[in-house]
Amino acid sequence: MTTMTQTSARFREFKMPDVGEGLTEAEILKWFVQPGDTVTDGQVVCEVETAKAAVELPIPFDGVVHELRFPEGTTVDVGQVIISVDVAPGSDEEAPVPAPAQEPVEAPVSDEPKGRTPVLVGYGVAESSTKRRPRKGAAAPEAAAVAAAVQAELNGHAAPAAPAAPEAPVGRPLAKPPVRKLAKDLGIDLATVVPTGKDGIITREDVHAAAAPAAVAVAVAPEAVEPVAAAAEVVDSTASARETRIPVKGVRKAIAQAMVGSAFTAPHVTEFVTVDVTRTMKLVAELKEDKEMAGVRVNPLLIIAKALLVAIKRNPEVNAAWDEANQEIVQKHYVNLGIAAATPRGLIVPNIKDAHDKTLPQLAAALGELVTTARDGRTSPAAMAGGTVTITNVGVFGVDTGTPILNPGESAILAVGAIKLQPWVHKGKVKPRQVTTLALSFDHRLVDGELGSKVLADVAAILEQPKRLITWA
């Protein structure tokens, strides 16, 4: 369900929807329309990136674009108006003046119960019943002045002269959300900033002034201090030229949270095995010529995926999840096989639903579609949900092996190293053979060493003798 408002009979507004079941914000990556463009119901008007994926947003009505409320690169909260459309161009009705919804000073407090906000996926997220504790009062003017002076000393500057400041308001310092974000990015405590805006509101200029005490110090300090201040500016300029700071958001933020959560929640164990895959490579070559496999991509990953599915069928206990809330182990009787994919926006892990039920041609087709969609940046949040086990192919980068971190909520992940021609003892003689190293990480709460070893050994045995795909299936 899309999110829209109707401000008049002529102008309609489209709000940022929840595109991923509970997400609170999204970044506008690209606008496909501009003011004055004609749009039709269902036409994609922009692409946004959430913590899960990049998603294209269609407009739910016809008309002419009147206004784009946010530029590209802006992170917008769910529920904020992002575009307004003139649905009756040519009429005499005046355009409504847009309310500054994107920069409220403070959210209003209401005692009335709130319902759900319509969203793109599902019907929305219920309002939280959690009540926040009252905020502590803002620091007194004297405390703010002391804090500013101490910070100036720590920065190596003389303390700036204290300007005559208006009486500090009681409670949280007044500032619009973009100003609060700017202060957070610059490491500035708003309680120490002297407001110059109307009604005591802190402006961007106030934050920038607080972040650059060196400039103030030069203006009020003796001439002997000027070389020190100038040297400090040179150091800052040099440091900024040697470093680049990239905001952590979108997919990268989600990856970081997921990996930290997994690494410090599930006790990881990783086992390794090196295996001769010469016969598997011969099978791949033969399948490429098979008419039944025409039109699909055949590669070693396909056989490895099938080998893992057979190994799970032989050891079904490995396909499980840990339910911390209910203190239960959830056995999965299906396999949603995740494939780690490197994309320009970062690592994502879409999965093939019910991979255990697919034939080899079907599995090949699903793998090809999954990889193509991921590289094009069109993977949907639903495609990345519900995985049970994952394969990560680090071999494509020439890496021999690794110790992969579990995808949150899954029990195991198989890393596949590069396949290389190496000397190998085969039938009592040293011969050049195609060899790779496999690494299986698993959640030790769910999977004991014996079970993990059996799964890894079965995968290796199949890759060494691919005929086991038939005898063990």
Side-chain angles (χ1 to χ4, degrees), residues 47-66:
E47 181 182 29
V48 300
E49 182 181 48
T50 69
K52 294 184 177 180
V55 180
E56 293 180 340
L57 297 184
I59 196 77
F61 37 76
D62 301 335
V64 175
V65 177
H66 173 253

Side-chain angles (χ1 to χ4, degrees), residues 266-267 317-323 328-331 388 406 409-412 442-449 451-452:
E317 297 85 1
V318 76
N319 190 38
W322 183 272
D323 186 342
E328 294 176 340
I329 294 175
V330 183
Q331 292 282 350
T388 59
L406 293 168
E410 299 184 8
S411 59
F442 50 86
D443 186 343
H444 217 344
R445 297 173 300 178
L446 297 162
V447 183
D448 294 332
L451 177 59

Side-chain angles (χ1 to χ4, degrees), residues 34-199:
Q34 294 297 325
D37 290 352
T38 300
V39 293
T40 57
D41 186 359
Q43 178 181 339
V44 173
V45 294
C46 68
E47 181 182 29
V48 300
E49 182 181 48
T50 69
K52 294 184 177 180
V55 180
E56 293 180 340
L57 297 184
I59 196 77
F61 37 76
D62 301 335
V64 175
V65 177
H66 173 253
E67 182 184 16
L68 305 181
R69 295 290 178 87
F70 296 94
E72 295 176 355
T74 305
T75 299
V76 182
D77 291 336
V78 168
Q80 285 191 284
V81 176
I82 60 175
I83 183 175
S84 63
V85 175
D86 184 351
V87 296
S91 66
D92 296 331
E93 185 177 346
E94 295 184 358
V97 178
Q102 61 269 33
E103 293 191 0
V105 174
E106 290 290 341
V109 179
S110 174
D111 294 331
E112 298 180 2
K114 298 181 179 179
R116 292 189 170 196
T117 302
V119 293
L120 191 65
V121 180
Y123 188 68
V125 185
E127 292 289 338
S128 172
S129 60
T130 305
K131 296 183 178 179
R132 294 183 177 179
R133 293 178 295 177
R135 296 181 180 272
K136 297 181 179 180
E142 295 81 0
V146 172
V150 171
Q151 185 62 48
E153 290 295 331
L154 292 176
N155 290 341
H157 310 302
E167 183 179 352
V170 178
R172 185 185 186 191
L174 297 179
K176 297 178 180 180
V179 177
R180 293 186 183 280
K181 184 177 185 301
L182 174 63
K184 182 179 179 181
D185 292 342
L186 296 177
I188 301 299
D189 183 358
L190 288 176
T192 66
V193 178
V194 179
T196 61
K198 184 179 179 181
D199 298 326

